[in-house]
Amino acid sequence: MRKLLIFLVRFYQRIISPALPQSCRYYPTCSTYMIDALTKFGLIKGLIMGTCRILRCNPFVRGGVDPVADKFTIFRNPHPEKYEDEIIAKKFHPSIK
């Protein structure tokens, strides 16, 4: 079942997403986050994390770097600086030197 969901997300990434305007406020994108969460946490927890991320991706949030956390959570990753490279860190977190 997990592989089926990953296949559907990849189908969306390759076929549907290019036809739509770019709107994701996070890096990695919500579809990539969903795949990573499904791979890391399995079907149930990964689907919950991915769905919560999609719900967080709206015009009322700033966005930024939000990789899949090491532990299951429905909230934004509290320490994205542990996962990002220097260029991304400076773009989304100007306070990081």
Side-chain angles (χ1 to χ4, degrees):
M1 189 67 173
R2 182 180 68 181
K3 288 182 181 183
L4 176 64
L5 281 175
I6 291 173
F7 172 78
L8 291 173
V9 173
R10 289 197 193 279
F11 176 81
Y12 165 81
Q13 286 178 326
R14 292 187 181 120
I15 307 298
I16 299 170
S17 181
L20 300 173
Q22 194 172 20
S23 61
C24 189
R25 297 180 173 280
Y26 289 105
Y27 176 84
T29 63
C30 292
S31 57
T32 302
Y33 184 96
M34 177 71 87
I35 291 172
D36 292 346
L38 287 168
T39 303
K40 194 171 192 175
F41 291 101
L43 178 65
I44 304 298
K45 288 183 178 179
L47 189 58
I48 291 169
M49 287 181 75
T51 302
C52 289
R53 165 68 179 274
I54 291 169
L55 293 173
R56 282 195 312 264
C57 189
N58 63 66
F60 303 108
V61 295
R62 191 177 112 224
V65 177
D66 182 30
V68 175
D70 290 332
K71 296 180 181 176
F72 174 77
T73 180
I74 60 170
F75 302 107
R76 186 175 176 155
N77 191 336
H79 300 290
E81 66 276 358
K82 292 180 181 178
Y83 301 91
E84 60 195 6
D85 63 25
E86 224 174 282
I87 296 169
I88 295 169
K90 288 178 184 176
K91 179 176 181 180
F92 288 108
H93 305 287
S95 61
I96 296 176
K97 309 239 186 280

